[in-house]
Each structure stands twice: as structure tokens, then as C-alpha cells.
Amino acid sequence: MSLSFGTDGVRGAANTELTAEYALAFGRALARVLRPDRVVVGRDTRISGSMLEAAVCAGLCAEGIDVDLLGVCPTPAVAWACAVRGTAGVMISASHNPYGDNGLKVFSPGGLKLTDAQEAAFTAVLETPLSDGPGPGGVDVGVVGSDPAALDGYADAVVASLEGRSLAGLSIVIDCANGASSVVAPAVLRRLGARVVTLADHPDGTNINAGSGSTHPEQLQAAVTAHSADLGLAFDGDAYRLLAVDHTGRLIDGDQLIALCALDRHRRGRLARDTVVVTVMTNLGFRLGMAAHGITVRETGVGDRYV
């Protein structure tokens, strides 16, 4: 197997590097390393998503693992489902990459990313032949079911996270990158009372991230000023990355967004241990700003699984 884990799962050109055969072996390896009772599987809007979804599910079922399909959904929805249900999960997405790429992101039971030791075990299994004997037979073969209602549960959880606060009176432009956020972000923001203008929310399997989303914020910046909006949000293909734009069209970077969230939670007594965790790429200004408010900053290596 030529693919290897990066900062967030494996990724490659769909059906040439990331093949159906690899995805099937990946599903079997997941079953053998994590030994979950069930696995939830989500995907973004890429044309290759359904092919890889079928292959991953085949690998899991061949090892006797039942699967719940979430369909097209944001990566955080998979993590949420894993946390709520105590299951493992797979998200089929190449994030901000073009549609020709795809990837496999893994969540261990409970919604956390793999540890270094688990990744090493995963790689070892993938590098050895998996045809070392028949899998379970009869009633022990895994089955695949569909659970589209899980997306509604995730949306409810996002709305509830505001703890009764409202976005009423705000005008927000969102760029869905023709990706997974298209199926949930506009509805959630409207439920919270915002007036919403949507961009790039008509995915066709090949237009994900194409001139849109977090890697191409120019159209969002222009739309915010054109609509005299209060702010804009740009997602990537699986809604795992976010850029924000203020009312003037100016980009607000990730350090600023984390600072805003940390300070808000700190003021409301909701910041656990008065601590915020960031990677080594975070700038000095962020650290100084947090120190001024009595907030401790902890550093990790690059990659959300370390955070």
C-alpha cells in the first residue's frame, strides 16, 4: 500500500492512488486495529465519494462490523456522532483539495483522532496481506444501514451550543465551497435568526472547492461588501476548515478566531481550566493576548489530532 498517514488521515488521487481496493483494505484494517462495535461513515460531495464509501463499508462488513451511513455531511458531524454513540468513524474527504483527490479520515470510538501508536498499528496492518483467512460468516457478517437523521442531531447540537443566544439581526454570507457544509450550514444559521446569503452551495461532484471556499475567499469578500453584510464565513469541502471575513471584507485569520472563542468562553466561565490549546504555528501576538487575560496557552505539534 503506497499511501501513508499525513496530518489528517490518508489522501490521494481517487481511483489511481486511493483505489477501491485500498479503501476496502482500509476498512478491514480499521476493524482489526480499533475493534469497534459499529462504525459511522460520512462523505463530502466528491464524485468518487460513493465508490470509496462502498469499498470501506465492504471491508468493515467483511470483518463483522456493522456500519451506519450518514451520507453527505461535515467532518465534525462524524466526530459528533462518534462522541454521542461511542462508535468509531470514517470521513471520506480530501478537505480543501480539488475534486479529483479524496481521502479517509478516521475517528476512534468516542470521536477522537488516532494516536501515534494507533496510526503505526494501522500502517502495519495495511502493509501486510489481509487475505490471511476467511472472515466471519453467516449472521456474523456486518450489515450497512442508512442514518440520515444523524445530520439533524448534529445540527441540533450546533444550535444548542449557543446556549440560548441568538444571531438575530446579523446578516451573514457563507461560502459552502460546493461541499459538505451545503447540507447543513445555511439551515443552522437561519435557525439561529441570521439573515443568510449563500455562495457555492450547489455541488455537482466536480465543483467542490473550485474557485470557492476557504482556499479562494475572494468571492466571499466581494459578496460581504456587496450585500453590506456583518460578516462572512468560508468553509472548505468537508467543513473542517473555516475562514472569516469582517464587514469590510477583511480576512480574519485562525489565530484571531481562536482568540475570539477563547475570550468569549473565558468571560462566561466556560473555558475549561482557563486554557486554550494551539499548534506551534500560532503567533506570538496570540500568546501575549491570552496572557493579558489570564488564559494559559498549551502548544502541540501540527495536526488537529494533537490538539
Side-chain angles (χ1 to χ4, degrees):
M1 296 294 179
S2 59
L3 296 179
S4 59
F5 281 89
T7 57
D8 194 8
V10 298
R11 195 173 296 179
N15 214 31
T16 55
E17 296 174 320
L18 181 53
T19 62
E21 292 79 7
Y22 181 93
L24 187 147
F26 191 93
R28 298 194 74 167
L30 188 159
R32 296 183 182 194
V33 172
L34 299 183
R35 300 186 180 279
D37 295 324
R38 301 183 74 85
V39 175
V40 296
V41 177
R43 58 184 173 88
D44 68 19
T45 59
R46 292 164 211 271
I47 194 171
S48 59
S50 57
M51 173 192 73
L52 295 173
E53 176 187 77
V56 169
C57 290
L60 290 165
C61 290
E63 294 291 322
I65 306 300
D66 292 339
V67 180
D68 295 323
L69 295 181
L70 306 187
V72 172
C73 65
T75 291
V78 175
W80 172 85
C82 291
V84 169
R85 303 177 182 185
T87 64
V90 177
M91 179 65 185
I92 301 167
S93 174
S95 299
H96 59 281
N97 285 28
Y99 84 92
D101 294 337
N102 218 323
L104 303 170
K105 302 179 181 183
V106 184
F107 293 91
S108 59
L112 298 178
K113 290 295 182 68
L114 300 183
T115 64
D116 288 343
Q118 287 172 322
E119 274 199 4
F122 220 108
T123 300
V125 172
L126 282 168
E127 289 177 348
T128 60
L130 289 171
S131 55
D132 55 358
V139 297
D140 293 324
V141 172
V143 297
V144 179
S146 179
D147 187 10
L151 188 60
D152 293 332
Y154 169 68
D156 291 343
V158 174
V159 171
S161 70
L162 266 69
E163 299 180 332
R165 291 176 295 167
S166 171
L167 302 181
L170 288 178
S171 175
I172 303 175
V173 180
I174 57 172
D175 184 336
C176 297
N178 290 308
S181 64
S182 303
V183 300
V184 64
V188 164
L189 292 173
R190 289 183 176 118
R191 281 178 61 184
L192 288 166
R195 298 189 302 276
V196 181
V197 176
T198 57
L199 308 173
D201 62 337
H202 290 85
D204 63 9
T206 64
N207 61 0
I208 186 171
N209 299 315
S212 61
S214 60
T215 52
H216 299 280
E218 300 84 9
Q219 71 167 348
L220 176 67
Q221 292 173 286
V224 166
T225 56
H227 290 276
S228 299
D230 295 297
L231 69 145
L233 303 172
F235 300 94
D236 70 345
D238 65 334
Y240 211 39
R241 177 177 299 195
L242 175 75
L243 285 181
V245 171
D246 71 11
H247 67 287
T248 69
R250 181 175 64 96
L251 283 174
I252 308 299
D253 67 25
D255 286 350
Q256 291 171 302
L257 291 175
I258 295 172
L260 286 170
C261 292
L263 290 173
D264 171 66
R265 295 185 70 83
H266 178 65
R267 289 168 184 144
R268 294 188 291 121
R270 301 286 286 165
L271 185 63
R273 301 180 185 177
D274 288 326
T275 299
V276 61
V277 181
V278 295
T279 75
V280 294
M281 296 179 69
T282 303
N283 66 42
L284 176 62
F286 176 90
R287 293 168 175 79
L288 294 175
M290 295 298 99
H293 290 86
I295 297 174
T296 300
V297 176
R298 296 286 301 274
E299 285 188 353
T300 74
V302 177
D304 67 281
R305 66 195 182 94
Y306 296 119
V307 174

